[in-house]
Structures are given as structure tokens and as C-alpha cells.
Amino acid sequence: MLETKFNPQDAEQRLYKMWEESGAFKPRAAKPGDTKDDNFSIVIPPPNVTGSLHMGHAVNNTIQDILVRYNRMRGKAVLWQPGTDHAGIATQMVVERRLAAEGKARKDMTREEFLEHVWAWKAESGGNINQQLRRLGSSCDWSREKFTLGNPEDPSDKMAEAVTKAFVEMYEAGLIYRDKRLVNWDPHFQTAISDLEVENIEKDGHFWHFKYPLEGGETYTYVEKDEDGNITLSEERDYISIATTRPETMLGDGAVAVHPDDERYKSIVGKMVRLPLANRLIPIITDEYPDMDFGSGAVKITGAHDFNDYEVAKRNDIPMYSLMDERGAMCESEIMPAKYIGMDRFKARKAVVADIDAEGFLIKVEDKKIMQPYGDRSGVVIEPMLTDQWFVAADKLASDAMEAVARGHNNVPLPKEKGNKFKGSTRFIPENWKKTYDHWMKDIQPWCISRQLWWGHRIPAYFIPEVLDDGSLSYESIDLTIVVAENDAAAKAKAQNFYSERGFDKRVKILVDLQECEALENYDAANEVGIYRDPDVLDTWFSSGLWPFSTLGWPASTEELERFYPTSVLVTAFDIIFFWVARMMMQGLHFQGEVPFKDVYIHALVLDEAGKKMSKSIGNTLDPLDLIDGVTIDELVAKRTRGLKNPEKAPKIEKMTRKQYPDGFEAYGADALRFTLASMAGQGRNIRLSVDRIAGYRNFGTKLWSAANFGQMNSCVPAAFDPAAAKLALNKWIISETAKTTKEVTRCIESYRFNDAADAAYKFVWDTFCNWYLEMSKPVLSGADGAEKDETRAAFAWTLDQILKLLHPFMPFITEELWNNIAESREDMLIISQWPDLSDSLMDEAASKDIEWVQTLITNLRSVRADMNIPPSKKAPLLVLADTLDPRLTTYADVLSPMARVDSVKLTDLVPKGALQTVVDGVTYAIPLDGLIDKGAETARLTKEADKAQAEIDKIDKKLSNPAFTDKAPEKVVNLQKERRAAYVAELEKLNEALANLG
RNA sequence: GGGCGGUUAGCUCAGCUGGUAGAGCAUCUCGUUUACACCGAGAGGGUCAGCGGUUCGAACCCGUUACCGCCCACCA
């Protein structure tokens, strides 16, 4: 006998431990006949190592686990590769914040000291998210867990080596280079960031118009014309008018540019203007870039602080002056007026405007909406800065990455001979994300991969410093970069060739391994020997891009790499298509010559119930663990308001939370949460998580549990059973329905339609199995012993077993618990049992027709009784207006009795006055309840039914009388309409009779 | 400016290949018949955003408008 309910808190951790200890999460051993298709692999999108589980992780991992458990049950060798990401900026930020709370700053410590703090923080919090993923039921192979920075304690861990090798090889292939370019600089973190880490936000700003006076008191006639060429303004000017949203950058102007066709300025092109405040002469030049119709048509060119200006300056050989230091303060340089040095850029802006105004060069200030770039992590305004950085020539990798997702019709991979040079290709699901991916790939920009941080893969590049005249060392020189990772002669020779071919300086020394590099880090100036390692680290996404193969052991050639690359599917949300999916594609193709995954399933983002993105600062986050384990409203409020950036928001958040969830959450368990996420993982763009719905699916689990309990009470014990040999129509029918549902659930999982799979299983369990089969089996199960009872017990148990299997990927815990509790013993745990593979021959049309007929009769009888408010306690005979009694009425008399409140079945040739009547398959059934029914109401009910039938008939007649329809529509459709019409006509006839009988 | 998506029951959303508009929650009525009240039975509720087109037939295909959301780029 089972407990009355499933207790997730008691069972989940016990079951998880049982699975994990049994080795069920590890891929099964390779079998002799295995092909690639017998392997199934997923690499987890590595969560931030020090992060904690949020709803995005929950939906992402639920979907992966469904696929993993399903494929495991199909008998495949399944690897779900787990691990975490070091998350450079995010983690360094957290650790710096924690240090700040202790009054310590990164700058006060050495790199080594700081990194010790980060590793300590990783040790403290790093296991957190993996424990949480376990609570969700994720069946990853934890024995293979990886970390993007590698494990310094484990010499066999190749994660760090993979990054070095990737960097070196790409460098040698000309795919990585070092350059002085304008990059996005984050003044808060004091590092370069990539384009993708910049968020453009529209803000209220100003548009300042300045006069730049012509040198030597020169003047010109400034003429403006309207569209028809009429002169609207003509005046003598001794200045050119420019406008800017960033006045402080004018200190670094190198020129003023006008369009070559701009008539207004033709006479002064080539002349010099004296830059106010800076008191420098800069030329007026022409370039295609200025838009004649915008502003004054003249643009100040600040090459070192604006991406467009940078291009103009490069084209025209205009000097670029860097104005700011790494914190965004105006820095000392030959062109910087003393008064601004050290001034923050925003203070400098005000000062410059005031000073220009004071000199009489301010024309006007307009209000203007401007798009301003912000660092996505720091939230501060990004400053374009001219710095030395490492770049990946992404454009060279993009064409292959685009080709790999280019698909023929119906997603059929392009045959190799038709120009697809890769083995296999990648399909996006839903397909439309391919467009997003292509669009970005097409316009791809160089990818800045160096970060001025400490936490990350330090760039494996060594510089030989120059000795300056005063004897000090300069590390600026970049032409002596040497990177070699492997201790083998062939690589050494290759590297040597590479450098000599390019005519590098003879001081170049080839270093064959990192240890040798490290040994030489002290520069010996006297002998010009020594090196200096680039202090920067790589963008986190550089190592994430290697994840699908680095986790499998690359650069070593491992069995796992052979078996599980390319991976079967990548499951992720659309917000990291560019960051991650695209980079994995480029790096996977480059290093493996194969796509990293066959399918990319893009799932929705989880939003709150109001459709807002969950965010800690809004206070609308839901912690998956709270929904699994339950939380009181006070705890929930405390969680949401703790550590807010703006503590003044706390009362608002508290009020909102208490209103939304006055009672907090019950412990719904992981299964309910998973089922909810699966059923909402439609192919739309977002999921609004509804707590009511989670409660609903918790109820579903209880329903299943209770049905199993019923089976126990009636000795429905799993045993050897051949579904094809069933005799009773009821059993044939449920077997048939099981086969149909299995087919549907399988099809839906295979095509990533998780919501449809979940719905199909849900409906089958609740409606078909519990509400119909279970009720209809009661007379047999509680009746006399014999073959029918035995068969029904076995069929019940068999069906329940199939249900547990179908539901297991979605609700692993409750199904595993039932699997083990309802049987004396099982050969295998459910997690490694065989997925049902039921023959179509089990689908029995005749049995289904009979049972459906009984169901219709019961439903109609219930409906008419309910309409007339007849209490269920009031049983009545069923009168059949026919010549002979349908044998099914006898067969199912025991079912009709409790379910339709029928106490006997009799033939009649006359419906008594005041009886309820209903029509099924053209036969009228009556329930004599004279005195209990309201004749008027019954007339109204029958009339309504008759009207409905008439309306349908009219609709069909309209179609059938249209020759265009009968001629052009397929015969099947026309016949269907004819059949429907006949059925309605028969029903209408009987309804009219029934009305007549009422009198 | 370019692109992608959305608009279906009170709410949240399904609706695959064009062929009788669906689910959950909520609402209303009845009910404790020995699996389950985290339950059962029944009911009500829709101009599928608007307009136009294709088609025998459109929630679905095409065009267009409106509103909402997201992504990318950007005029200094």
C-alpha cells in the first residue's frame, strides 16, 4: 500500500542519490555494432561558477534533461557533459565587491593575491549551482564535470591547455592578431569589452552647437538654399559651425570634415580653424561621411573617441589624440589644456561648455534624444578608446559558420559534393533563428578578445621589452610576440619558420613550453634575454567557444571526442546566440572540421507573471528552489529585498510580493516545476511563469499517485503481459490508446515539441486513464474472480507502467518512486528502462468504437441529468426506444449503473410523459423521472439541441449545394460532410420526436 | 533606419500539412458513489486585432494598417 500522497521532499534527494550512485548518469559502454546515431550528447551551457540557479537555468536544464532521459531510455549511449564557466567580468566583479565590503581593494594586492581570493570564493560558492541542478533532477555525468579555467590540481585536465593551443593555432593561422584600434572601454572595470557587451540605451541628451573660428580672421559667404534652389540665408562668416553631443571630446579634434559636394563650405575646404580652448590649428577636410542635411553639415573629427570619426581620421591621415585615462578622466598629454587634467569626463563636459560659452563660441544648445552605450555589467557609459588589443578576425571564420547552417529544402543537409565542405551541418529550431544568426554573421566585426582583468585565461603571449634610453624597459613593443604551447619539435620548427618568413627581429626566441616561458620572465637587460607575459586575460567567451570539444578532452584525442563530437543538440536561449552559439560554431569548425552540434534548440526566456524579465532589482525573481521546497511569504519578501542596490525600493517590492503571493509557495516539488516548464516551452519567445499552473501540475502528480494507489488496492501488479493478447474490449481500448499516446509523445519529443508531448501525456493520464479507464474497470475489478479480472488487473498494471515511462523524462522523481513501489521487484530502475515501442497493430478500431460509444452515452446521460439538476443519488431506469437491445447495453450495464446513475436497461416503444431524452447514434434513450423534471426547461433544452443540429445541417447544406465545393474539394472532405449531415439529420429527427413525446 | 516576433475565451497560452476553434486557471451549478476534494460530473464564455486578396473553403497563405515586444545599426 502506498502513502496517500507523494512526498517530494522525502523522496527527491534519496532517488537522485540512488541514480547517481548507480552510474545511470554515465554513458553506457560502447557496443560493437554502435554507430554515431547510437550516441547522444549534450554539453551543458556552463553556468557561472559562482552563480545560483534561476528560472532560465531551470527551463534550460529541464529541456536538456527531458532529451537526455528520453534518449537514455531509447538505449542510446548518452553523455550530458556538465561544468561551469569562470565568467571573467562577472566573477571578478563579485569578488571585488566582497573585498570592498571588508575594506580591501584589488589594487592594493598583487595579481596572485587577488586570484587567491577568487579561487577561495569559487571553493566557497562554486558547488552551489551544481547542487541546485541536482535538485532539479538533471542527470548529468558529474564525474566528468569541467571548469573553463581548468583544474590546477589535476594534471590530466586539459581545459587550460585547450585554450592556449587554440590561441596559438589561431595566431599562427593569422586569425588572431594584435592591433591598436578603437575599442569599447569600460571605465568602471577598466577593461576593453566586445561590441556584444555594450548595450545602447536611448537617453535625454543635448546637442551643442559651437563656432570654430577660421584662422587669420578669414571670412566666407555662407549661403543656404531651399529645395528649389532659392536662397534662404546669406551671410558673411568668420567661423564654421559644428555640433556635438559630447563637447569634451572637442579637445581631441583633429579636423573638421564636410561633404565634398557641400556648396556651403567649398570655399573654405583646406583652410585651418583654430580649435577653441585647445588653441590648436586643425584643417577643414572633405569626406563622404558627413551628412549635408544633418546639423550644419560640418563634423568635428575626434578619431580617438568616436567610431565613425576613427574611420574618417584613418582615411584622411588625421592625427588622433587620446584624451582620457583608463578611468575616463582627462589625462595629461601634449594637447590637453592644463585646467582639464584629472577632470572626470562628465565634469570636463560641463567645463568645456562653460569655457566655450565664455569665449563666445557657443551658438546654441538643443535637447536631443541620444543613444548612449552602456557596459552591460557595469552600467556605466562606455568610452571608445584607442588601445592595443588582441582581435579575432571573425570575418574569416564567418563564411564557414554561415555555410554550416545553410540548409536545403526541408532542412535536408546539403550533400558534401555540392559544396558543403563540412561533415554534417546545423539546424536551428525554431528555424527562424537562423536568420538572426546569418544577419549577424554577415556583418561580423573583429572580435576583441583581450580583457584588462585578472580573472581568466592569461593570454599566452610574451613580449620582449625594449630598453629605453634611460635604461628602463618599455613593454609597448608588440612586434616580438611569441606564442608556442607544445613541447614538440614539429611545432617548434613550424613556429620558427613562421617567424623567420615574416622577417622578425633576430632577438626573437622561440619558447617551447610555458614552463620555459615562466622561467624567463625576469628580463636581463645586459644580455637582452627575457620576456614579459601579456598581463591581459581572454574574453570568457573565447574559452566558452571551445566548450563542445574541450570538455571532451581536446587537444588530446580521446574516446569521448570520437564518440560524442559533434554533439547531438545544443539547448539554449536566444540571448546568447551571438555570444556563444556563433563562437562555438566558428571555433568548432576551425578546430574540428565539423559543426559542434547537429541541432540548436532555442527555447523561450522565462518572464514573471506580468510578462516582465525577471530581475533582482525589480524584485520579481522566482527561485526555482523556492518552488520546489516551498517558502513562506516572509522568507520570500526577505529574499527579494535583501541586498538591493536601491534599498528605498524595498517597501514597494514587499508590497507587490505580498499581494502576488499572499501565502508564499507550497513545496510543489521538482516534478511539478519541470512539467510546468515543459508544458510552457512552446516555440514562442517567452514563458510567463504561473505559480497556479505549477500547483496544477503538482495536482497532476497526486492524481497519478492516487491512481497507482487504486491499482495497488485492486492487486493490479506489474507482471508479464502481452498487450496483443487482450480479449476484453475495455482493455483492448486502453492498450490502443496507450499505443496512440506513446506514438504521439515520442513524435513530439523527437521534434522538440515539449509542450505537445507534455499535454498528450497529461490528457492521457488524467482523462483517458483516470477518468474513463479506471472508472470503467471498477465493475470488473470488484467483481467475480476469473479470466476477465486477471486480464484487467494485468492490463491496468501494464498501462500504468507505460505511463510511468512516458512521464519519466518530464517527472523523473514521482515516476521512479512509483515504479519501485508498485512492484515487488524490478529488473531495472525506471531511469534505465526501455522506452515503450508499441506496434501500431495494438490500435484496435473496433474496441475503440465500442468504448467511445459507451462514453458518449454516459456523457449524454450525465449532461441531461445535470441540466435538469437531478441529484446523482436519484437513480433511474434507462429506456431504449428501439426494436432490439444493443448488446453493448448489456455488456456495459455494470458501467452505466455507477457512471450514468442507471439502475436498469429496458426496451420501450413509447417514451413516457415527463422523461428526459437524449439521442446517441440515432437511437433515443429516455430516463423516466416524472415529477422531477421541469417540462418547460426540458423543452427549452431539447429545442436548443435541435436548433444546434439544424444550424449545422444548414451550414453543411450550403457547402454541399455549392458546385464549386463538390467539384473541387477532395472527395474525402465531401464525403465527410455528407456523413456529418446524415448524423445531424438523424439526431434532429429523434430530437423532434422527443419534443413531441414531451407533449 | 534594418530585421524578427506577437495580437485567439476573464487571465496565461496551444492550435504542426488550410477542412467542425482547444487546454490550464478563473467563473457558475450539482455532488462526498470505497483511488484522489491537490477530487468528480456538468455548464457558460470567442467577429481568432482591422481592412483587402488568393481559395470550393482561411485563425492558418499573400498584401496592408494599427498597436505591443525584442534584436541589430545609427546623424556628428
Side-chain angles (χ1 to χ4, degrees):
Chain A
M1 199 62 35
L2 301 169
E3 299 287 322
T4 52
K5 278 177 193 174
F6 176 61
N7 180 352
Q9 285 173 301
D10 160 65
E12 287 178 356
Q13 305 201 40
R14 166 169 51 79
L15 291 168
Y16 195 91
K17 196 162 168 249
M18 175 180 87
W19 290 327
E20 189 171 4
E21 285 175 356
S22 77
F25 297 166
K26 295 182 191 210
R28 67 155 170 78
K31 289 187 207 161
D34 274 359
T35 66
K36 274 257 174 180
D37 282 344
D38 294 309
N39 300 326
F40 181 87
S41 56
I42 295 184
V43 289
I44 203 168
N48 290 0
V49 65
T50 62
S52 56
L53 195 70
H54 57 62
M55 275 299 164
H57 294 121
V59 68
N60 180 252
N61 285 283
T62 294
I63 289 169
Q64 290 177 80
D65 199 45
I66 289 169
L67 289 167
V68 159
R69 285 179 188 266
Y70 164 77
N71 278 288
R72 191 183 285 127
M73 290 173 77
R74 301 223 73 168
K76 295 193 180 182
V78 174
L79 172 63
W80 186 6
Q81 171 66 52
T84 48
D85 194 289
H86 66 279
I89 289 189
T91 306
Q92 179 159 331
M93 179 171 85
V94 171
V95 173
E96 285 195 60
R97 201 183 289 154
R98 288 169 58 84
L99 287 172
E102 298 170 29
K104 295 182 196 159
R106 172 166 70 104
K107 280 178 208 143
D108 299 338
M109 44 185 92
T110 65
R111 185 175 185 127
E112 286 66 34
E113 283 166 351
F114 177 74
L115 289 178
E116 262 177 47
H117 282 286
V118 189
W119 282 104
W121 170 238
K122 180 197 176 258
E124 190 185 325
S125 67
N128 198 6
I129 193 137
N130 290 340
Q131 287 310 317
Q132 292 174 315
L133 286 175
R134 286 175 160 90
R135 291 300 320 279
L136 201 62
S138 305
S139 56
C140 316
D141 181 358
W142 295 108
S143 69
R144 296 188 48 81
E145 189 185 345
K146 295 288 193 292
F147 178 48
T148 47
L149 277 188
N151 179 357
E153 321 268 280
D154 176 7
S156 71
D157 184 293
K158 301 268 194 262
M159 295 296 288
E161 190 183 322
V163 176
T164 303
K165 185 180 169 76
F167 184 92
V168 171
E169 288 199 6
M170 288 174 77
Y171 181 80
E172 293 187 351
L175 292 166
I176 285 180
Y177 57 93
R178 192 169 163 84
D179 197 6
K180 194 183 203 78
R181 286 175 57 101
L182 206 53
V183 295
N184 299 296
W185 185 265
D186 186 318
H188 179 260
F189 291 121
Q190 297 170 39
T191 177
I193 57 176
S194 76
D195 299 348
L196 290 175
E197 291 159 282
V198 176
E199 217 178 339
N200 291 302
I201 303 173
E202 193 177 74
K203 292 276 171 181
D204 288 323
H206 301 285
F207 203 35
W208 285 273
H209 296 255
F210 295 159
K211 290 178 182 177
Y212 283 5
L214 288 166
E215 176 61 358
E218 290 214 41
T219 61
Y220 66 108
T221 310
Y222 177 86
V223 177
E224 263 178 25
K225 293 178 181 165
D226 65 15
E227 282 169 12
D228 304 325
N230 304 312
I231 293 173
T232 54
L233 174 73
S234 175
E235 63 182 16
E236 222 33 35
R237 284 187 176 176
D238 60 357
Y239 66 88
I240 186 161
S241 167
I242 60 95
T244 180
T245 56
R246 305 199 42 205
E248 71 281 10
T249 64
M250 61 83 61
L251 297 168
D253 286 358
V256 171
V258 297
H259 195 276
D261 299 337
D262 198 329
E263 297 292 336
R264 293 170 295 182
Y265 303 115
K266 280 231 158 127
S267 65
I268 53 167
V269 167
K271 303 249 157 93
M272 303 300 271
V273 294
R274 182 160 292 275
L275 193 60
L277 311 185
N279 198 25
R280 278 189 288 120
L281 288 178
I282 57 172
I284 295 170
I285 62 164
T286 57
D287 192 274
E288 299 287 332
Y289 164 64
D291 176 352
M292 287 189 277
D293 299 325
F294 185 81
S296 66
V299 185
K300 62 191 267 307
I301 300 300
T302 320
H305 289 278
D306 181 280
F307 287 95
N308 289 308
D309 292 6
Y310 175 73
E311 296 299 327
V312 176
K314 265 208 321 203
R315 276 199 291 273
N316 296 284
D317 215 14
I318 301 297
M320 307 188 209
Y321 305 105
S322 287
L323 297 170
M324 298 170 204
D325 63 15
E326 63 276 10
R327 288 190 312 275
M330 308 309 272
C331 63
E332 199 174 336
S333 79
E334 76 262 33
I335 52 97
M336 180 63 63
K339 76 166 284 193
Y340 305 111
I341 292 172
M343 216 181 255
D344 174 77
R345 54 192 167 147
F346 299 110
K347 276 196 184 138
R349 175 175 302 175
K350 283 186 185 149
V352 164
V353 171
D355 294 346
I356 294 236
D357 195 15
E359 295 196 9
F361 294 128
L362 178 65
I363 301 168
K364 61 175 174 178
V365 187
E366 288 176 80
D367 289 335
K368 186 172 159 49
K369 295 266 184 208
I370 52 168
M371 286 298 257
Q372 207 153 29
Y374 287 85
D376 64 353
R377 291 278 174 188
S378 65
V380 303
V381 176
I382 292 305
E383 190 63 42
M385 296 265 251
L386 205 50
T387 54
D388 288 309
Q389 302 288 347
W390 292 92
F391 295 89
V392 167
D395 55 330
K396 293 187 186 164
L397 295 165
S399 59
D400 285 355
M402 282 169 78
E403 190 179 325
V405 296
R407 284 281 180 154
H409 187 54
N410 288 340
N411 279 328
V412 178
L414 294 169
K416 258 196 266 180
E417 58 273 23
K418 284 203 176 160
N420 192 356
K421 60 184 157 187
F422 310 113
K423 282 197 244 165
S425 53
T426 297
R427 174 171 71 127
F428 274 88
I429 299 126
E431 221 175 331
N432 57 292
W433 289 110
K434 176 183 174 299
K435 281 189 191 171
T436 307
Y437 169 93
D438 279 347
H439 187 251
W440 185 72
M441 279 288 185
K442 225 175 80 193
D443 295 325
I444 199 160
Q445 298 298 309
W447 170 19
C448 175
I449 51 168
S450 42
R451 296 288 179 276
Q452 287 65 52
L453 302 172
W454 282 350
W455 177 242
H457 286 278
R458 192 160 172 186
I459 290 174
Y462 290 78
F463 303 127
I464 299 180
E466 267 181 278
V467 186
L468 302 179
D469 291 344
D470 62 2
S472 66
L473 301 176
S474 162
Y475 297 116
E476 295 293 314
S477 167
I478 60 161
D479 60 341
L480 297 166
T481 308
I482 318 246
V483 267
V484 175
E486 288 190 336
N487 193 1
D488 77 73
K492 188 176 173 179
K494 196 174 150 199
Q496 227 139 16
N497 280 340
F498 177 83
Y499 291 107
S500 59
E501 276 169 15
R502 285 161 180 77
F504 278 110
D505 191 290
K506 59 177 175 289
R507 286 178 303 170
V508 167
K509 182 174 168 57
I510 303 293
L511 300 162
V512 292
D513 66 29
L514 288 175
Q515 268 139 14
E516 189 180 345
C517 293
E518 280 156 17
L520 288 168
E521 279 207 34
N522 295 318
Y523 186 74
D524 174 356
N527 299 302
E528 288 194 3
V529 173
I531 51 166
Y532 176 74
R533 185 168 186 176
D534 193 315
D536 293 350
V537 300
L538 287 163
D539 180 5
T540 303
W541 297 103
F542 186 85
S543 48
S544 311
L546 310 174
W547 189 249
F549 48 97
S550 62
T551 52
L552 298 177
W554 188 86
S557 56
T558 61
E559 187 200 332
E560 285 80 8
L561 196 57
E562 181 56 37
R563 285 175 85 192
F564 296 116
Y565 189 95
T567 63
S568 308
V569 54
L570 178 80
V571 178
T572 191
F574 63 80
D575 55 346
I576 53 174
I577 289 179
F578 305 146
F579 274 113
W580 194 44
V581 179
R583 269 82 178 261
M584 282 191 286
M585 212 60 186
M586 295 193 281
Q587 288 177 308
L589 287 166
H590 181 70
F591 288 108
Q592 306 298 325
E594 273 189 78
V595 292
F597 19 74
K598 295 171 201 151
D599 286 347
V600 178
Y601 177 72
I602 302 288
H603 60 73
L605 291 181
V606 184
L607 307 179
D608 75 357
E609 283 170 81
K612 276 198 195 132
K613 204 168 170 173
M614 289 192 185
S615 136
K616 277 188 189 161
S617 62
I618 301 175
N620 62 346
T621 52
L622 289 176
D623 180 343
L625 269 292
D626 286 347
L627 292 162
I628 292 172
D629 292 333
V631 67
T632 64
I633 180 62
D634 290 335
E635 282 173 305
L636 184 63
V637 166
K639 274 187 160 187
R640 284 183 163 190
T641 52
R642 194 181 303 144
L644 277 175
K645 265 188 199 164
N646 304 324
E648 67 273 18
K649 279 191 185 167
K652 204 178 137 194
I653 289 174
E654 168 159 8
K655 202 177 152 195
M656 178 192 82
T657 304
R658 286 189 189 277
K659 196 180 156 195
Q660 261 184 319
Y661 310 111
D663 305 318
F665 305 134
E666 292 173 53
Y668 298 116
D671 292 326
L673 177 64
R674 290 169 58 115
F675 204 89
T676 308
L677 294 171
S679 73
M680 298 185 90
Q683 310 207 344
R685 287 205 169 200
N686 36 46
I687 294 175
R688 292 200 200 183
L689 191 70
S690 144
V691 177
D692 282 345
R693 199 140 167 185
I694 300 173
Y697 289 124
R698 183 270 320 265
N699 296 352
F700 175 61
T702 306
K703 185 79 182 172
L704 175 68
W705 186 269
S706 152
N709 197 28
F710 172 85
Q712 293 289 289
M713 289 161 66
N714 286 282
S715 308
C716 303
V717 186
F721 175 69
D722 176 12
K727 303 254 182 338
L728 275 186
L730 180 65
N731 293 330
K732 285 178 167 182
W733 165 75
I734 195 66
I735 290 162
S736 178
E737 290 299 306
T738 306
K740 281 184 205 163
T741 304
T742 300
K743 206 173 170 181
E744 178 68 1
V745 172
T746 304
R747 185 183 74 97
C748 290
I749 295 178
E750 295 274 358
S751 52
Y752 301 100
R753 307 182 63 87
F754 302 104
N755 57 325
D756 290 333
D759 284 353
Y762 180 96
K763 266 185 206 143
F764 177 67
V765 172
W766 201 307
D767 295 339
T768 310
F769 185 66
C770 290
N771 289 353
W772 285 109
Y773 179 72
L774 191 149
E775 291 299 333
M776 291 175 85
S777 72
K778 278 179 182 174
V780 190
L781 290 174
S782 61
D785 287 348
E788 292 194 344
K789 190 167 179 174
D790 290 345
E791 182 189 291
T792 304
R793 281 173 166 167
F796 185 105
W798 177 85
T799 306
L800 185 57
D801 271 5
Q802 311 313 306
I803 286 172
L804 295 179
K805 290 178 175 187
L806 293 181
L807 284 177
H808 183 259
F810 300 89
M811 309 186 113
F813 294 109
I814 193 172
T815 51
E816 182 74 74
E817 182 78 341
L818 282 173
W819 179 259
N820 294 306
N821 284 3
I822 60 176
E824 293 270 315
S825 69
R826 297 275 195 184
E827 253 176 60
D828 286 321
M829 292 181 295
L830 183 58
I831 188 176
I832 52 166
S833 69
Q834 279 287 299
W835 185 258
D837 181 14
L838 304 178
S839 161
D840 283 358
S841 66
L842 292 174
M843 296 180 194
D844 188 317
E845 285 302 317
S848 295
K849 224 180 139 190
D850 275 4
I851 300 300
E852 278 158 22
W853 175 85
V854 178
Q855 290 174 350
T856 309
L857 179 59
I858 291 171
T859 304
N860 282 16
L861 294 173
R862 281 169 168 173
S863 176
V864 294
R865 290 178 59 111
D867 271 359
M868 288 304 124
N869 278 331
I870 311 298
S873 54
K874 180 76 190 168
K875 284 202 167 191
L878 179 65
L879 303 180
V880 186
L881 192 60
D883 298 332
T884 56
L885 203 60
D886 191 315
R888 291 176 295 196
L889 288 166
T890 318
T891 311
Y892 296 102
D894 290 345
V895 170
L896 288 170
S897 167
M899 295 183 77
R901 318 307 294 157
V902 165
D903 60 10
S904 62
V905 180
K906 290 173 204 149
L907 279 177
T908 184
D909 50 9
L910 184 71
V911 175
K913 294 281 181 209
L916 284 175
Q917 299 167 78
T918 186
V919 180
V920 176
D921 264 10
V923 177
T924 302
Y925 299 84
I927 308 171
L929 282 165
D930 200 11
L932 275 178
I933 67 162
D934 174 342
K935 206 167 131 188
E938 177 66 354
T939 310
R941 188 182 67 78
L942 288 170
T943 310
K944 199 176 145 197
E945 296 265 307
D947 288 351
K948 230 155 120 184
Q950 186 62 56
E952 286 296 329
I953 292 166
D954 291 349
K955 230 161 97 180
I956 296 166
D957 281 347
K958 209 174 146 191
K959 275 190 184 177
L960 288 173
S961 64
N962 179 358
F965 174 74
T966 45
D967 292 351
K968 292 192 184 175
E971 208 183 314
K972 217 174 106 187
V973 173
V974 177
N975 286 338
L976 185 76
Q977 294 300 325
K978 284 182 179 164
E979 280 167 31
R980 285 185 60 218
R981 185 182 191 280
Y984 279 117
V985 168
E987 191 184 321
L988 182 62
E989 192 182 318
K990 298 294 167 184
L991 285 168
N992 286 332
E993 276 176 29
L995 274 166
N997 288 339
L998 263 182

